[in-house]
Amino acid sequence: MLFSYNFLQSFFKEKLPTPEKLANILVMHFFEVENIEKKGKDFCIDIDVLPSRAQDCFSHIGVAREISAITGLKCDFPETKNKDGKEDVSEFVAVEVNGGCRRYVLRVIKDVNIGPSPKFIQDRLTSCGIKPINNVVDITNYVMLETGQPLHAFDGEKIEGNKIIVRYAKNREKMVTLEGKRRELDESILVISDEVSSVGIAGIKGGAVPEIDENTKLIFLEGANFDPLTIRRGSRKLGLRTDASIRFEHGISVKTTKLAVERAASMIESITKGKITGEAIDVELDKEDNPVIDFILDDITNLLGVDISATQVEKILKSLSFNVERKGENFKVIPAYFRRDINIKEDIIEEIGRVYGYENISSKMPSEEIYPSKESKSLWLSKVCRKEMRALGFVESYNYSFIDENTAQIFNYKNLQEMEKPVSLEYKYLRPSLIPGLVKNIAINEKIIEDVSLFEIGKIFSGIEEKKSIAGVCSSCNFLKLKGKVNLFLQRLFVEKISYHQIKENAFLDVVAEIRSKGESIGLMGEVSAKIKRDMGIKNNVVVFEIDMGKLESLSKERELYHPISKFPTAQRDLSLLVPEKTEYKEIKNNINKVSGKLLKDIELFDVYNGKELPKNKKSIAFRLFFRADNRTLSSQEISDLQNKIIEALEKIPEWKVRK
């Protein structure tokens, strides 16, 4: 944005610093100065005003206020007190606002004499890149540069029906703008019209019909506060960006509108020898309320890291035209009406720091102690699970959280949560398990390699409820091998009292077992049924498991409790038991534990035999017993007595016989 150095100087009685020094001051406390260019007896200063300050600093008065606050130089702005004319303004014009406008102010000035504007106005307009046209048009542009409020002047005698209407254009409505170009409008573009046709594109460009010329005697001076979004959209759609549209796009205080119109009316009356007629028409549809912001002196210290006295804080805020109430170190501040960017106490403190000078704030390391955050157990568990699964030969797979209708039917899933707007038919339902995705992965990978082991950690869904689980799948593998891997995986997470319990029925698994810890079900494992393998084109045997990560989180430990190595030896005894074919190992183990007492430390299954030499519907199960006392070495007699006690208990059960 271009600013005239002489224009800025006009607001100060004292001499401003040279343009170069002023630029350095602005850079340190305000915004970047892009360039300084000498134009005749003036200097053009190009300041990169950020959008947050456009509403007040797209004006010379706004920049002059900043210079005053930073340097302490007193600035004086022109005061305007117009006398209303005796005529009734309604005899000349009426105003109707139908939308897209927060405030519309209009002044009527008659008996104007059109001619060149004074040299100081022409020079300042030229410095800011605006071409002088005539005294009335130049004054509207001059006041826009001064206050930031765009204005427009109509030739009142060219307005049909003596009525100004703010409305949206009709579809395909046409009008000719000031540069002589015919433009086609639509219903999203705001226009100014009379009772016959549109006479200007609101906030963007005036129309050619009511243009001010050398014969103009009656002026309708317009100042408005148009909706920023409407102006921006209209400007982009028409490919027409003007000094006025740029300012309206960023928003202007509604209070500036009346001030600018009165300032321009006064200048027009003085320079053109015209006469203000009647009172101002002021249609105000939206009033602004400035926020009341409370803070204390410690807030400034905590945010800026520097101690600034309460007196100095008050002085800085008043230099920014803020209303300040102070009681000791407590402040109540109402920002100036033109500072719509100030809404919270942090905004106020930023202003204090900016004017105080960031160069006056020394760099300090934080004095508070910083503690590392505690690691989430959920994240820790996921990380450890990945590590252990890879160590067991599994490769991680990443699947979508959705399944298609065909997969749901294959796995016999019902009452699934359907997506309202699925990306495609393949992602119609939220997955109830990780297993279908992993089995599909096996079907794809089996064509290349037979022995595939995959795992996945992810969310599964039951209705709208979700939970996290881990699942694994192995091809060319049997149930017992997978059970060994799952067992080792859980042991490495220090999950205690792991057991497996056969389940008779499952929708998609043939041999299936429930995985338990301390008697609580935490997951399942089994062999994928022949039907599912056939439907998915899988040839080899496939075994799977899935464990609830939520339950695993509560049962797992980051480290195992230390147990010292026993000083006393462990004795081993082997037993072979002939039992019915349907007898499960866990049943045998439970019966041994009932009678063994604390001296039996472990039981290890090492053989299951089904042979022709055994009786029909019988099997032989061989296991190893580990005996140890914590405070002495067991004698051979003690071990034999305990072994005999176990044998006696087992042989009491019908059809169970210890082989000797």
Side-chain angles (χ1 to χ4, degrees), residues 397 399-400 402-404 406-413 416 430-444 454 456 460 469 471-473 508-509 528 532 536 538 542 544-546:
S397 177
N399 293 307
Y400 288 109
F402 314 96
I403 61 171
D404 57 29
N406 183 50
T407 303
Q409 289 176 357
I410 290 173
F411 283 84
N412 198 27
Y413 287 130
L416 298 181
L430 289 172
R431 64 184 178 188
S433 168
L434 301 178
I435 291 174
L438 290 172
V439 174
K440 287 181 78 174
N441 296 150
I442 291 290
I444 295 168
L454 302 172
E456 181 178 6
I460 59 175
S469 73
V473 59
F508 55 86
L509 298 176
V528 175
I532 288 179
M536 302 192 77
I538 299 173
V542 177
V544 299
F545 77 88
E546 185 165 22

mmCIF file of all heavy atoms in Angstrom, residues 397 399-400 402-404 406-413 416 430-444 454 456 460 469 471-473 508-509 528 532 536 538 542 544-546:
data_model
loop_
_atom_site.group_PDB
_atom_site.id
_atom_site.type_symbol
_atom_site.label_atom_id
_atom_site.label_comp_id
_atom_site.label_asym_id
_atom_site.label_seq_id
_atom_site.Cartn_x
_atom_site.Cartn_y
_atom_site.Cartn_z
ATOM 1 N N SER A 397 0.516 -55.918 8.247
ATOM 2 C CA SER A 397 -0.362 -55.577 7.131
ATOM 3 C C SER A 397 -1.230 -54.393 7.534
ATOM 4 O O SER A 397 -1.586 -54.238 8.706
ATOM 5 C CB SER A 397 -1.248 -56.779 6.784
ATOM 6 O OG SER A 397 -2.153 -56.467 5.753
ATOM 7 N N ASN A 399 -4.802 -52.693 6.443
ATOM 8 C CA ASN A 399 -6.025 -52.801 5.650
ATOM 9 C C ASN A 399 -6.983 -51.663 5.984
ATOM 10 O O ASN A 399 -6.885 -51.039 7.041
ATOM 11 C CB ASN A 399 -6.720 -54.138 5.920
ATOM 12 C CG ASN A 399 -5.912 -55.310 5.402
ATOM 13 O OD1 ASN A 399 -5.526 -55.341 4.238
ATOM 14 N ND2 ASN A 399 -5.636 -56.276 6.266
ATOM 15 N N TYR A 400 -7.936 -51.401 5.079
ATOM 16 C CA TYR A 400 -8.968 -50.408 5.348
ATOM 17 C C TYR A 400 -9.895 -50.904 6.457
ATOM 18 O O TYR A 400 -10.017 -52.114 6.697
ATOM 19 C CB TYR A 400 -9.790 -50.125 4.091
ATOM 20 C CG TYR A 400 -9.035 -49.342 3.043
ATOM 21 C CD1 TYR A 400 -8.622 -49.944 1.861
ATOM 22 C CD2 TYR A 400 -8.730 -48.002 3.236
ATOM 23 C CE1 TYR A 400 -7.933 -49.236 0.893
ATOM 24 C CE2 TYR A 400 -8.039 -47.274 2.286
ATOM 25 C CZ TYR A 400 -7.638 -47.897 1.114
ATOM 26 O OH TYR A 400 -6.946 -47.184 0.167
ATOM 27 N N PHE A 402 -12.953 -51.110 6.448
ATOM 28 C CA PHE A 402 -14.249 -51.412 5.843
ATOM 29 C C PHE A 402 -14.196 -52.774 5.149
ATOM 30 O O PHE A 402 -13.130 -53.243 4.762
ATOM 31 C CB PHE A 402 -14.639 -50.350 4.817
ATOM 32 C CG PHE A 402 -14.432 -48.944 5.283
ATOM 33 C CD1 PHE A 402 -13.272 -48.244 4.948
ATOM 34 C CD2 PHE A 402 -15.389 -48.310 6.056
ATOM 35 C CE1 PHE A 402 -13.073 -46.951 5.378
ATOM 36 C CE2 PHE A 402 -15.192 -47.013 6.497
ATOM 37 C CZ PHE A 402 -14.035 -46.335 6.160
ATOM 38 N N ILE A 403 -15.354 -53.402 4.995
ATOM 39 C CA ILE A 403 -15.465 -54.618 4.196
ATOM 40 C C ILE A 403 -16.643 -54.475 3.248
ATOM 41 O O ILE A 403 -17.551 -53.659 3.474
ATOM 42 C CB ILE A 403 -15.637 -55.886 5.069
ATOM 43 C CG1 ILE A 403 -16.918 -55.798 5.919
ATOM 44 C CG2 ILE A 403 -14.422 -56.119 5.931
ATOM 45 C CD1 ILE A 403 -17.250 -57.099 6.631
ATOM 46 N N ASP A 404 -16.634 -55.277 2.182
ATOM 47 C CA ASP A 404 -17.730 -55.209 1.214
ATOM 48 C C ASP A 404 -18.808 -56.225 1.575
ATOM 49 O O ASP A 404 -18.669 -57.037 2.494
ATOM 50 C CB ASP A 404 -17.215 -55.428 -0.208
ATOM 51 C CG ASP A 404 -16.486 -56.752 -0.362
ATOM 52 O OD1 ASP A 404 -16.818 -57.693 0.375
ATOM 53 O OD2 ASP A 404 -15.587 -56.843 -1.223
ATOM 54 N N ASN A 406 -19.909 -58.828 -0.160
ATOM 55 C CA ASN A 406 -19.540 -60.198 -0.475
ATOM 56 C C ASN A 406 -18.740 -60.828 0.674
ATOM 57 O O ASN A 406 -19.006 -61.959 1.093
ATOM 58 C CB ASN A 406 -18.727 -60.237 -1.769
ATOM 59 C CG ASN A 406 -18.372 -61.653 -2.178
ATOM 60 O OD1 ASN A 406 -19.231 -62.533 -2.225
ATOM 61 N ND2 ASN A 406 -17.096 -61.888 -2.459
ATOM 62 N N THR A 407 -17.766 -60.074 1.214
ATOM 63 C CA THR A 407 -16.969 -60.570 2.348
ATOM 64 C C THR A 407 -17.841 -60.800 3.569
ATOM 65 O O THR A 407 -17.669 -61.785 4.298
ATOM 66 C CB THR A 407 -15.841 -59.575 2.681
ATOM 67 O OG1 THR A 407 -15.036 -59.360 1.515
ATOM 68 C CG2 THR A 407 -14.968 -60.076 3.807
ATOM 69 N N ALA A 408 -18.792 -59.892 3.803
ATOM 70 C CA ALA A 408 -19.703 -60.040 4.941
ATOM 71 C C ALA A 408 -20.507 -61.334 4.832
ATOM 72 O O ALA A 408 -20.738 -62.033 5.827
ATOM 73 C CB ALA A 408 -20.632 -58.836 5.027
ATOM 74 N N GLN A 409 -20.930 -61.674 3.614
ATOM 75 C CA GLN A 409 -21.705 -62.900 3.411
ATOM 76 C C GLN A 409 -20.829 -64.140 3.592
ATOM 77 O O GLN A 409 -21.254 -65.134 4.183
ATOM 78 C CB GLN A 409 -22.332 -62.880 2.021
ATOM 79 C CG GLN A 409 -23.456 -61.867 1.871
ATOM 80 C CD GLN A 409 -23.997 -61.791 0.452
ATOM 81 O OE1 GLN A 409 -23.502 -62.461 -0.455
ATOM 82 N NE2 GLN A 409 -25.016 -60.961 0.248
ATOM 83 N N ILE A 410 -19.592 -64.100 3.049
ATOM 84 C CA ILE A 410 -18.673 -65.238 3.164
ATOM 85 C C ILE A 410 -18.412 -65.571 4.630
ATOM 86 O O ILE A 410 -18.420 -66.738 5.037
ATOM 87 C CB ILE A 410 -17.351 -64.950 2.417
ATOM 88 C CG1 ILE A 410 -17.582 -64.946 0.900
ATOM 89 C CG2 ILE A 410 -16.282 -65.972 2.785
ATOM 90 C CD1 ILE A 410 -16.366 -64.510 0.090
ATOM 91 N N PHE A 411 -18.189 -64.543 5.456
ATOM 92 C CA PHE A 411 -17.878 -64.752 6.871
ATOM 93 C C PHE A 411 -19.128 -64.787 7.748
ATOM 94 O O PHE A 411 -19.027 -64.799 8.976
ATOM 95 C CB PHE A 411 -16.922 -63.671 7.353
ATOM 96 C CG PHE A 411 -15.498 -63.882 6.926
ATOM 97 C CD1 PHE A 411 -15.059 -63.478 5.679
ATOM 98 C CD2 PHE A 411 -14.597 -64.525 7.763
ATOM 99 C CE1 PHE A 411 -13.748 -63.681 5.268
ATOM 100 C CE2 PHE A 411 -13.290 -64.732 7.371
ATOM 101 C CZ PHE A 411 -12.860 -64.318 6.116
ATOM 102 N N ASN A 412 -20.300 -64.715 7.085
ATOM 103 C CA ASN A 412 -21.583 -64.842 7.790
ATOM 104 C C ASN A 412 -21.786 -63.756 8.850
ATOM 105 O O ASN A 412 -22.286 -64.008 9.944
ATOM 106 C CB ASN A 412 -21.695 -66.232 8.435
ATOM 107 C CG ASN A 412 -23.141 -66.587 8.791
ATOM 108 O OD1 ASN A 412 -24.082 -66.104 8.160
ATOM 109 N ND2 ASN A 412 -23.315 -67.409 9.807
ATOM 110 N N TYR A 413 -21.355 -62.524 8.523
ATOM 111 C CA TYR A 413 -21.567 -61.387 9.426
ATOM 112 C C TYR A 413 -22.952 -60.802 9.188
ATOM 113 O O TYR A 413 -23.385 -60.650 8.041
ATOM 114 C CB TYR A 413 -20.514 -60.305 9.195
ATOM 115 C CG TYR A 413 -19.142 -60.649 9.712
ATOM 116 C CD1 TYR A 413 -18.021 -60.502 8.905
ATOM 117 C CD2 TYR A 413 -18.956 -61.105 11.010
ATOM 118 C CE1 TYR A 413 -16.753 -60.803 9.377
ATOM 119 C CE2 TYR A 413 -17.697 -61.414 11.489
ATOM 120 C CZ TYR A 413 -16.594 -61.266 10.664
ATOM 121 O OH TYR A 413 -15.356 -61.562 11.134
ATOM 122 N N LEU A 416 -24.261 -55.457 10.452
ATOM 123 C CA LEU A 416 -23.067 -54.619 10.414
ATOM 124 C C LEU A 416 -23.445 -53.153 10.325
ATOM 125 O O LEU A 416 -24.539 -52.799 9.857
ATOM 126 C CB LEU A 416 -22.188 -55.001 9.217
ATOM 127 C CG LEU A 416 -21.633 -56.428 9.203
ATOM 128 C CD1 LEU A 416 -20.780 -56.642 7.973
ATOM 129 C CD2 LEU A 416 -20.815 -56.697 10.458
ATOM 130 N N LEU A 430 -18.471 -51.054 8.175
ATOM 131 C CA LEU A 430 -17.349 -51.010 9.112
ATOM 132 C C LEU A 430 -17.000 -52.441 9.509
ATOM 133 O O LEU A 430 -17.897 -53.248 9.783
ATOM 134 C CB LEU A 430 -17.729 -50.200 10.355
ATOM 135 C CG LEU A 430 -17.877 -48.683 10.162
ATOM 136 C CD1 LEU A 430 -18.457 -48.060 11.435
ATOM 137 C CD2 LEU A 430 -16.546 -48.042 9.830
ATOM 138 N N ARG A 431 -15.733 -52.788 9.537
ATOM 139 C CA ARG A 431 -15.321 -54.169 9.786
ATOM 140 C C ARG A 431 -15.571 -54.565 11.246
ATOM 141 O O ARG A 431 -15.251 -53.807 12.170
ATOM 142 C CB ARG A 431 -13.852 -54.367 9.436
ATOM 143 C CG ARG A 431 -12.890 -53.561 10.288
ATOM 144 C CD ARG A 431 -11.462 -53.732 9.821
ATOM 145 N NE ARG A 431 -10.544 -52.901 10.616
ATOM 146 C CZ ARG A 431 -9.259 -52.730 10.342
ATOM 147 N NH1 ARG A 431 -8.732 -53.311 9.285
ATOM 148 N NH2 ARG A 431 -8.501 -51.972 11.111
ATOM 149 N N PRO A 432 -16.130 -55.759 11.475
ATOM 150 C CA PRO A 432 -16.339 -56.234 12.857
ATOM 151 C C PRO A 432 -15.134 -56.989 13.395
ATOM 152 O O PRO A 432 -15.089 -57.334 14.574
ATOM 153 C CB PRO A 432 -17.537 -57.171 12.713
ATOM 154 C CG PRO A 432 -17.387 -57.727 11.326
ATOM 155 C CD PRO A 432 -16.756 -56.643 10.484
ATOM 156 N N SER A 433 -14.160 -57.293 12.510
ATOM 157 C CA SER A 433 -12.988 -58.062 12.902
ATOM 158 C C SER A 433 -11.858 -57.767 11.922
ATOM 159 O O SER A 433 -12.092 -57.348 10.783
ATOM 160 C CB SER A 433 -13.317 -59.562 12.886
ATOM 161 O OG SER A 433 -12.132 -60.342 12.985
ATOM 162 N N LEU A 434 -10.614 -58.012 12.382
ATOM 163 C CA LEU A 434 -9.457 -57.852 11.495
ATOM 164 C C LEU A 434 -9.230 -59.085 10.627
ATOM 165 O O LEU A 434 -8.512 -59.031 9.630
ATOM 166 C CB LEU A 434 -8.185 -57.591 12.321
ATOM 167 C CG LEU A 434 -8.171 -56.366 13.237
ATOM 168 C CD1 LEU A 434 -6.851 -56.319 14.004
ATOM 169 C CD2 LEU A 434 -8.357 -55.090 12.442
ATOM 170 N N ILE A 435 -9.843 -60.210 11.004
ATOM 171 C CA ILE A 435 -9.565 -61.483 10.340
ATOM 172 C C ILE A 435 -9.940 -61.491 8.854
ATOM 173 O O ILE A 435 -9.141 -61.957 8.027
ATOM 174 C CB ILE A 435 -10.252 -62.637 11.111
ATOM 175 C CG1 ILE A 435 -9.548 -62.820 12.467
ATOM 176 C CG2 ILE A 435 -10.231 -63.936 10.316
ATOM 177 C CD1 ILE A 435 -10.219 -63.826 13.392
ATOM 178 N N PRO A 436 -11.141 -60.996 8.417
ATOM 179 C CA PRO A 436 -11.467 -61.047 6.992
ATOM 180 C C PRO A 436 -10.423 -60.359 6.106
ATOM 181 O O PRO A 436 -10.059 -60.883 5.048
ATOM 182 C CB PRO A 436 -12.812 -60.318 6.920
ATOM 183 C CG PRO A 436 -13.414 -60.513 8.265
ATOM 184 C CD PRO A 436 -12.268 -60.473 9.206
ATOM 185 N N GLY A 437 -9.934 -59.204 6.534
ATOM 186 C CA GLY A 437 -8.924 -58.493 5.738
ATOM 187 C C GLY A 437 -7.637 -59.280 5.624
ATOM 188 O O GLY A 437 -7.021 -59.351 4.548
ATOM 189 N N LEU A 438 -7.219 -59.905 6.736
ATOM 190 C CA LEU A 438 -5.976 -60.690 6.714
ATOM 191 C C LEU A 438 -6.131 -61.953 5.872
ATOM 192 O O LEU A 438 -5.197 -62.361 5.174
ATOM 193 C CB LEU A 438 -5.571 -61.050 8.145
ATOM 194 C CG LEU A 438 -5.074 -59.873 9.007
ATOM 195 C CD1 LEU A 438 -4.889 -60.310 10.453
ATOM 196 C CD2 LEU A 438 -3.767 -59.309 8.456
ATOM 197 N N VAL A 439 -7.301 -62.593 5.923
ATOM 198 C CA VAL A 439 -7.531 -63.784 5.099
ATOM 199 C C VAL A 439 -7.510 -63.411 3.621
ATOM 200 O O VAL A 439 -6.985 -64.163 2.786
ATOM 201 C CB VAL A 439 -8.856 -64.468 5.501
ATOM 202 C CG1 VAL A 439 -9.174 -65.624 4.554
ATOM 203 C CG2 VAL A 439 -8.780 -64.982 6.939
ATOM 204 N N LYS A 440 -8.068 -62.251 3.279
ATOM 205 C CA LYS A 440 -7.994 -61.775 1.890
ATOM 206 C C LYS A 440 -6.542 -61.532 1.476
ATOM 207 O O LYS A 440 -6.145 -61.803 0.338
ATOM 208 C CB LYS A 440 -8.813 -60.491 1.726
ATOM 209 C CG LYS A 440 -10.307 -60.711 1.741
ATOM 210 C CD LYS A 440 -11.082 -59.421 1.552
ATOM 211 C CE LYS A 440 -11.096 -58.992 0.100
ATOM 212 N NZ LYS A 440 -11.969 -57.828 -0.116
ATOM 213 N N ASN A 441 -5.731 -61.011 2.417
ATOM 214 C CA ASN A 441 -4.306 -60.823 2.135
ATOM 215 C C ASN A 441 -3.625 -62.149 1.817
ATOM 216 O O ASN A 441 -2.786 -62.243 0.919
ATOM 217 C CB ASN A 441 -3.608 -60.159 3.316
ATOM 218 C CG ASN A 441 -4.092 -58.752 3.596
ATOM 219 O OD1 ASN A 441 -4.068 -58.299 4.725
ATOM 220 N ND2 ASN A 441 -4.554 -58.049 2.581
ATOM 221 N N ILE A 442 -4.001 -63.207 2.566
ATOM 222 C CA ILE A 442 -3.436 -64.540 2.316
ATOM 223 C C ILE A 442 -3.822 -65.012 0.916
ATOM 224 O O ILE A 442 -2.992 -65.561 0.175
ATOM 225 C CB ILE A 442 -3.929 -65.545 3.376
ATOM 226 C CG1 ILE A 442 -3.311 -65.222 4.746
ATOM 227 C CG2 ILE A 442 -3.626 -66.974 2.972
ATOM 228 C CD1 ILE A 442 -1.826 -65.501 4.843
ATOM 229 N N ALA A 443 -5.088 -64.811 0.532
ATOM 230 C CA ALA A 443 -5.561 -65.244 -0.787
ATOM 231 C C ALA A 443 -4.756 -64.586 -1.906
ATOM 232 O O ALA A 443 -4.460 -65.211 -2.928
ATOM 233 C CB ALA A 443 -7.047 -64.923 -0.935
ATOM 234 N N ILE A 444 -4.373 -63.329 -1.708
ATOM 235 C CA ILE A 444 -3.605 -62.602 -2.732
ATOM 236 C C ILE A 444 -2.151 -63.055 -2.729
ATOM 237 O O ILE A 444 -1.571 -63.334 -3.783
ATOM 238 C CB ILE A 444 -3.703 -61.087 -2.478
ATOM 239 C CG1 ILE A 444 -5.152 -60.606 -2.666
ATOM 240 C CG2 ILE A 444 -2.763 -60.320 -3.409
ATOM 241 C CD1 ILE A 444 -5.408 -59.206 -2.177
ATOM 242 N N LEU A 454 1.064 -62.997 8.562
ATOM 243 C CA LEU A 454 0.753 -61.564 8.614
ATOM 244 C C LEU A 454 0.075 -61.227 9.936
ATOM 245 O O LEU A 454 -0.586 -62.073 10.549
ATOM 246 C CB LEU A 454 -0.181 -61.174 7.455
ATOM 247 C CG LEU A 454 0.301 -61.456 6.035
ATOM 248 C CD1 LEU A 454 -0.820 -61.181 5.045
ATOM 249 C CD2 LEU A 454 1.517 -60.614 5.693
ATOM 250 N N GLU A 456 -1.970 -57.623 12.023
ATOM 251 C CA GLU A 456 -2.475 -56.244 11.909
ATOM 252 C C GLU A 456 -2.963 -55.779 13.267
ATOM 253 O O GLU A 456 -3.544 -56.560 14.028
ATOM 254 C CB GLU A 456 -3.611 -56.159 10.886
ATOM 255 C CG GLU A 456 -4.148 -54.738 10.707
ATOM 256 C CD GLU A 456 -5.245 -54.620 9.671
ATOM 257 O OE1 GLU A 456 -5.687 -55.665 9.144
ATOM 258 O OE2 GLU A 456 -5.662 -53.486 9.391
ATOM 259 N N ILE A 460 -11.773 -52.247 15.305
ATOM 260 C CA ILE A 460 -12.915 -52.996 14.795
ATOM 261 C C ILE A 460 -14.176 -52.401 15.411
ATOM 262 O O ILE A 460 -14.114 -51.671 16.401
ATOM 263 C CB ILE A 460 -12.799 -54.502 15.112
ATOM 264 C CG1 ILE A 460 -12.706 -54.739 16.629
ATOM 265 C CG2 ILE A 460 -11.587 -55.098 14.396
ATOM 266 C CD1 ILE A 460 -12.717 -56.207 17.018
ATOM 267 N N SER A 469 -7.862 -54.042 18.350
ATOM 268 C CA SER A 469 -7.474 -55.433 18.503
ATOM 269 C C SER A 469 -6.235 -55.725 17.675
ATOM 270 O O SER A 469 -5.826 -54.928 16.822
ATOM 271 C CB SER A 469 -8.621 -56.366 18.102
ATOM 272 O OG SER A 469 -8.802 -56.372 16.698
ATOM 273 N N ALA A 471 -4.572 -59.010 15.379
ATOM 274 C CA ALA A 471 -4.898 -60.299 14.776
ATOM 275 C C ALA A 471 -3.711 -60.775 13.956
ATOM 276 O O ALA A 471 -2.920 -59.979 13.445
ATOM 277 C CB ALA A 471 -6.143 -60.192 13.909
ATOM 278 N N GLY A 472 -3.603 -62.099 13.850
ATOM 279 C CA GLY A 472 -2.544 -62.695 13.041
ATOM 280 C C GLY A 472 -3.093 -63.831 12.215
ATOM 281 O O GLY A 472 -4.100 -64.456 12.572
ATOM 282 N N VAL A 473 -2.433 -64.133 11.095
ATOM 283 C CA VAL A 473 -2.869 -65.204 10.209
ATOM 284 C C VAL A 473 -1.636 -65.890 9.637
ATOM 285 O O VAL A 473 -0.645 -65.235 9.305
ATOM 286 C CB VAL A 473 -3.791 -64.663 9.091
ATOM 287 C CG1 VAL A 473 -3.088 -63.614 8.260
ATOM 288 C CG2 VAL A 473 -4.292 -65.783 8.197
ATOM 289 N N PHE A 508 -16.953 -69.049 11.128
ATOM 290 C CA PHE A 508 -16.004 -69.213 10.026
ATOM 291 C C PHE A 508 -14.743 -69.991 10.408
ATOM 292 O O PHE A 508 -13.809 -70.079 9.629
ATOM 293 C CB PHE A 508 -15.615 -67.846 9.444
ATOM 294 C CG PHE A 508 -15.079 -66.874 10.450
ATOM 295 C CD1 PHE A 508 -13.736 -66.862 10.779
ATOM 296 C CD2 PHE A 508 -15.914 -65.954 11.068
ATOM 297 C CE1 PHE A 508 -13.237 -65.977 11.703
ATOM 298 C CE2 PHE A 508 -15.422 -65.055 11.994
ATOM 299 C CZ PHE A 508 -14.073 -65.068 12.320
ATOM 300 N N LEU A 509 -14.704 -70.572 11.617
ATOM 301 C CA LEU A 509 -13.552 -71.359 12.034
ATOM 302 C C LEU A 509 -13.987 -72.795 12.335
ATOM 303 O O LEU A 509 -15.045 -73.018 12.922
ATOM 304 C CB LEU A 509 -12.896 -70.741 13.272
ATOM 305 C CG LEU A 509 -12.320 -69.328 13.119
ATOM 306 C CD1 LEU A 509 -11.788 -68.836 14.459
ATOM 307 C CD2 LEU A 509 -11.229 -69.280 12.067
ATOM 308 N N VAL A 528 -9.268 -71.650 9.705
ATOM 309 C CA VAL A 528 -10.303 -71.120 8.809
ATOM 310 C C VAL A 528 -11.014 -72.289 8.138
ATOM 311 O O VAL A 528 -10.372 -73.255 7.685
ATOM 312 C CB VAL A 528 -9.678 -70.179 7.754
ATOM 313 C CG1 VAL A 528 -10.729 -69.729 6.752
ATOM 314 C CG2 VAL A 528 -9.048 -68.978 8.433
ATOM 315 N N ILE A 532 -14.861 -71.277 3.629
ATOM 316 C CA ILE A 532 -14.322 -69.929 3.418
ATOM 317 C C ILE A 532 -13.086 -69.989 2.530
ATOM 318 O O ILE A 532 -12.904 -69.161 1.630
ATOM 319 C CB ILE A 532 -14.018 -69.253 4.768
ATOM 320 C CG1 ILE A 532 -15.327 -68.872 5.463
ATOM 321 C CG2 ILE A 532 -13.142 -68.013 4.575
ATOM 322 C CD1 ILE A 532 -15.168 -68.219 6.794
ATOM 323 N N MET A 536 -12.812 -68.131 -1.117
ATOM 324 C CA MET A 536 -11.793 -67.102 -1.339
ATOM 325 C C MET A 536 -10.618 -67.609 -2.161
ATOM 326 O O MET A 536 -9.638 -66.887 -2.368
ATOM 327 C CB MET A 536 -11.300 -66.556 0.010
ATOM 328 C CG MET A 536 -12.416 -65.965 0.855
ATOM 329 S SD MET A 536 -11.852 -65.021 2.273
ATOM 330 C CE MET A 536 -11.347 -63.499 1.492
ATOM 331 N N ILE A 538 -8.424 -70.135 -1.569
ATOM 332 C CA ILE A 538 -7.211 -70.463 -0.804
ATOM 333 C C ILE A 538 -7.029 -71.977 -0.793
ATOM 334 O O ILE A 538 -7.967 -72.730 -0.490
ATOM 335 C CB ILE A 538 -7.311 -69.917 0.633
ATOM 336 C CG1 ILE A 538 -7.446 -68.389 0.620
ATOM 337 C CG2 ILE A 538 -6.085 -70.317 1.448
ATOM 338 C CD1 ILE A 538 -7.723 -67.776 1.975
ATOM 339 N N VAL A 542 -5.083 -72.549 6.722
ATOM 340 C CA VAL A 542 -4.919 -71.187 7.253
ATOM 341 C C VAL A 542 -5.410 -71.153 8.694
ATOM 342 O O VAL A 542 -6.527 -71.595 8.996
ATOM 343 C CB VAL A 542 -5.700 -70.153 6.411
ATOM 344 C CG1 VAL A 542 -5.562 -68.761 7.026
ATOM 345 C CG2 VAL A 542 -5.206 -70.142 4.977
ATOM 346 N N VAL A 544 -5.736 -68.620 12.286
ATOM 347 C CA VAL A 544 -5.827 -67.199 12.644
ATOM 348 C C VAL A 544 -5.984 -67.052 14.151
ATOM 349 O O VAL A 544 -6.374 -67.997 14.849
ATOM 350 C CB VAL A 544 -7.031 -66.512 11.944
ATOM 351 C CG1 VAL A 544 -6.906 -66.577 10.442
ATOM 352 C CG2 VAL A 544 -8.350 -67.152 12.389
ATOM 353 N N PHE A 545 -5.681 -65.853 14.638
ATOM 354 C CA PHE A 545 -6.015 -65.498 16.025
ATOM 355 C C PHE A 545 -6.365 -64.019 16.064
ATOM 356 O O PHE A 545 -5.963 -63.242 15.204
ATOM 357 C CB PHE A 545 -4.841 -65.791 16.975
ATOM 358 C CG PHE A 545 -3.728 -64.775 16.925
ATOM 359 C CD1 PHE A 545 -3.751 -63.631 17.725
ATOM 360 C CD2 PHE A 545 -2.652 -64.947 16.056
ATOM 361 C CE1 PHE A 545 -2.724 -62.699 17.675
ATOM 362 C CE2 PHE A 545 -1.628 -64.021 15.998
ATOM 363 C CZ PHE A 545 -1.657 -62.890 16.808
ATOM 364 N N GLU A 546 -7.143 -63.626 17.066
ATOM 365 C CA GLU A 546 -7.466 -62.213 17.292
ATOM 366 C C GLU A 546 -7.608 -61.989 18.783
ATOM 367 O O GLU A 546 -8.291 -62.767 19.474
ATOM 368 C CB GLU A 546 -8.737 -61.804 16.556
ATOM 369 C CG GLU A 546 -9.028 -60.305 16.665
ATOM 370 C CD GLU A 546 -10.062 -59.829 15.655
ATOM 371 O OE1 GLU A 546 -10.847 -60.665 15.158
ATOM 372 O OE2 GLU A 546 -10.091 -58.610 15.362
#
